[in-house]
Amino acid sequence: MKNIDSYGHVRGESLFIDDINVQQNTLLGLVFDSPKAHGIIKKLDLTEAEQIEGVIKIFTYKDIPGENQIGGIIADEPLLAEKEVHFVGQPIAFIVASSDSIAKKARALIKIEIDELPVITRAKEAAEKKHIIGTPRTFNLGNTTKAFDKCAFIFEDDVFTNGQEHLYLETQGAYAVPTENNCIKVTSSTQGPTQVQKAIAKVLGIGMHIIEVDVIRLGGGFGGKEDQATPWATLTALASYLLKKPVKFVLNRHDDLRMTGKRHPYESNFKIGLSKDLKIIAFEADFYQNAGAAADLSPAVAERTLFHATNSYFVENVKTSVYSCRTNLPPNTAFRGFGGPQGMFVIEAAIAKAANEIGVTSKEIQEANLLQENDVLSFGQIMTQTEATSSWNTALQNFNYKKLVKQVDEFNKENNDYKKGIALMPICFGISFTNTPMNHARALVHVYQDGTVGISTAAVEMGQGVNTKMLQIAVQTFAIAADKVKLETTNTTRVANTSPSAASATADLNGKALLKACLAIVGRLKTAAAEDLKVNEEEVSFQNELVYVNGKKSKLTWKALISKAMLARIALSEKAHYATPEIHFDKTIEKGHPFSYHVYGTAIITTTVDCTRGTYTFDAIKIVHDYGKSMSEGIDLGQVEGALAQGIGWMTMEEISYDNKGRLLSNALSTYKVPDIFSIADEIEVIPLETTGNEMAILKSKAVGEPPLMYGIGAYFAIQNAIKAYNPDYKLKFHAPMTPEKVLMSLYQ
Ligand code: MOS
């Protein structure tokens, strides 16, 4: 089945926020934001701006009828700044005008005086000053102190990974319209419609039932719209509700880059201890997460770092701690992988360091420590259906790893201006929201009396193809043609109290709920068909829009059956609820079984470094990926390739830069390099791992959104190996992204 959005996207017919046909007299919103990273607002002068014709109103915190608070996990984030500002880009006022250009004119005329306070931009600096959000977390397994005494080798080092801009093609935005009886409808580009509904209710001081949030689709999310679509939707709703006028607000790219948080930069350090036969006996790491000026999702992101701190390896003694550090940057937020990549990079760095010092390859250490069946992770989850070794071995054999290494070695012997490097990257990523109560979803299915079907779930389509997967489930269960099923928008009045579309879990959670709803209807229809055909219910099945009895066609069509069921007053609609079974986690002891299953895979990455210029290309990336039993191979391959590109971007080129005043320097696509078609390998090969699949995954088709991003980590180490081939004196560094500038410096270090 094709991605159902392909046709509309290619023809430019798909609707995003900015494509909605707005009502007459719709007003345009614009945020006035803090020019300073930290300070006390001495004076805010709106008079000149307010006098411009066409400016309807400029909202400040004083206009908020409810609570000026949008913090999700911790209530530490005002919608509009009051006395103090905490980052450049923090919203202070919301201008509403009859046109966009008038709003811009007004913004330029707002005057502000700020008494500046010290600015902190680095995580460790914040930690030293005790600016920690929430409580630090520590996962403990075995006893690392004792274990280090038994180690033949011990190494320590510092690690840095930078942030990452989401760069969703569609910038943040929302459209709010007043509806009858003082109610409000908000169309938002959010991954979390319920989050938006809740925040609006709080800020306006009204019930959630007054607010309808609708999501058509997102032009990309990547985590950037999990929590951070909320402020814009809330501002739009605030203005619309108070003015009783439709209000639209879509951020321009520069405002979006400046005002929104990104992937968390991490400053970390590790200590790794190995035995003579290269077993990792003990591993310690401290992660200093740059959370930005408010909690946002940082505590949850921090937690996932600890869950993935040993990647796909078994380590008997582990002690890892994470600190969410409050700095004067925009609040950093969810980004594909959600802290997992930051954790996994550190243990891969530790392995690279150990290998380099001992004089073996990273591969030897990686291989000696891969997770085996029934191994335990540092938080107590016992690993079953472990595919770490199988994906590793499949990659080595299928892609003839030995031959690839030989080619690299031979090339390096014969060439001096160019050097090649090769690296292996195994991944192991847990599926489920780590916050157990969030693992649920609902679906609403209507079979209309002509036999066609409408589906609503909590799943938000953001380009990942989840709607196509939902459609497939209905098509398959009802055995009707795809054009007879419609995916409705994601709407809080049809499916309420939703978890955001995130954590790679959207298809699993919503798909399982949808399957349950479809099966309930099918059950009733089978009874009706059996009665009509005077056969036993067990003999009835549906195929190609026909009722089959004992595997043979009957005369009864799907359409006729639905008409009969309608006359017999059988319910043709169903709402189903799914909550992931078996998962649990106890934060008081930091132990449990938080993941319904893990996704595995292994990537082999080869690169060629130009040793005169410090530039590099990737020759080939070969991946064995654990899809389970993919229900949609095209969509899943798209997710692997897209995530891989994003991972390579994070590791090798995307360099977020703030100055020491907290101003974003990489504030345009001329100063922030994202991967393009030339950044990706000439050759990409992805083959599915042969497995029996996992019952916890929808139709045994495993979650695919986030895990493949971490294959990109291999790109970093492939480049390191190429540098080493050129410059034997090169001291490995773990400071991502490995930009051409850093490569050049390293070649001649
Ligand atoms: Mo995703 S990073 O869980 O929105």
Side-chain angles (χ1 to χ4, degrees), residues 370 386-395 600 602 624 689-691:
L370 290 171
T386 310
E387 306 287 0
T389 308
S390 56
S391 69
W392 177 273
N393 288 341
T394 309
Y600 298 85
T602 300
V624 172
L689 180 69
E690 296 283 337
T691 70

Side-chain angles (χ1 to χ4, degrees), residues 72-206:
I73 298 176
I74 298 172
D76 68 346
E77 191 176 356
L79 176 64
L80 292 169
E82 298 188 7
K83 302 274 172 304
E84 203 171 326
V85 287
H86 296 276
F87 63 93
V88 173
Q90 183 174 357
I92 295 173
F94 188 56
I95 305 154
V96 176
S98 56
S99 81
D100 203 34
S101 57
I102 291 172
K104 275 188 194 136
K105 239 183 249 168
R107 178 158 84 173
L109 291 172
I110 294 179
K111 294 194 180 65
I112 189 159
E113 281 171 36
I114 293 173
D115 269 357
E116 289 185 60
L117 291 167
V119 173
I120 296 174
T121 58
R122 281 190 35 241
K124 277 194 178 165
E125 193 189 342
E128 278 157 22
K129 302 204 163 109
K130 307 263 184 294
H131 296 188
I132 304 289
I133 296 171
T135 16
R137 303 274 298 272
T138 298
F139 285 11
N140 242 318
L141 181 72
N143 184 330
T144 49
T145 316
K146 272 191 197 156
F148 277 121
D149 290 340
K150 292 186 295 186
C151 289
F153 309 105
I154 297 174
F155 306 102
E156 295 176 71
D157 215 334
D158 297 330
V159 178
F160 176 77
T161 51
N162 206 331
Q164 186 174 24
E165 164 59 39
H166 301 88
L167 214 84
Y168 24 67
L169 278 181
E170 180 197 34
T171 55
Q172 304 271 5
Y175 179 50
V177 295
T179 54
E180 335 182 278
N181 300 323
N182 265 339
C183 293
I184 185 163
K185 180 179 175 183
V186 182
T187 309
S188 166
S189 178
T190 180
Q191 292 174 239
T194 292
Q195 227 19 66
V196 167
Q197 185 190 17
K198 236 165 92 176
I200 294 171
K202 193 174 195 178
V203 167
L204 291 179
I206 57 179

Side-chain angles (χ1 to χ4, degrees), residues 191 222-223 226 334-338 501-503 706:
Q191 292 174 239
F222 310 114
E226 186 178 336
F335 196 131
R336 206 173 196 172
F338 206 78
S501 286
E706 294 169 294

Side-chain angles (χ1 to χ4, degrees), residues 581-599:
E582 292 170 35
I583 52 171
H584 57 88
F585 193 73
D586 182 350
K587 279 190 190 180
T588 61
I589 51 168
E590 303 287 23
K591 297 282 178 202
H593 186 102
F595 299 116
S596 56
Y597 58 88
H598 283 76
V599 171

Side-chain angles (χ1 to χ4, degrees), residues 624-636:
V624 172
H625 186 76
D626 167 25
Y627 295 104
K629 297 268 176 224
S630 176
M631 66 182 285
S632 194
E633 287 170 18
I635 282 172
D636 286 349

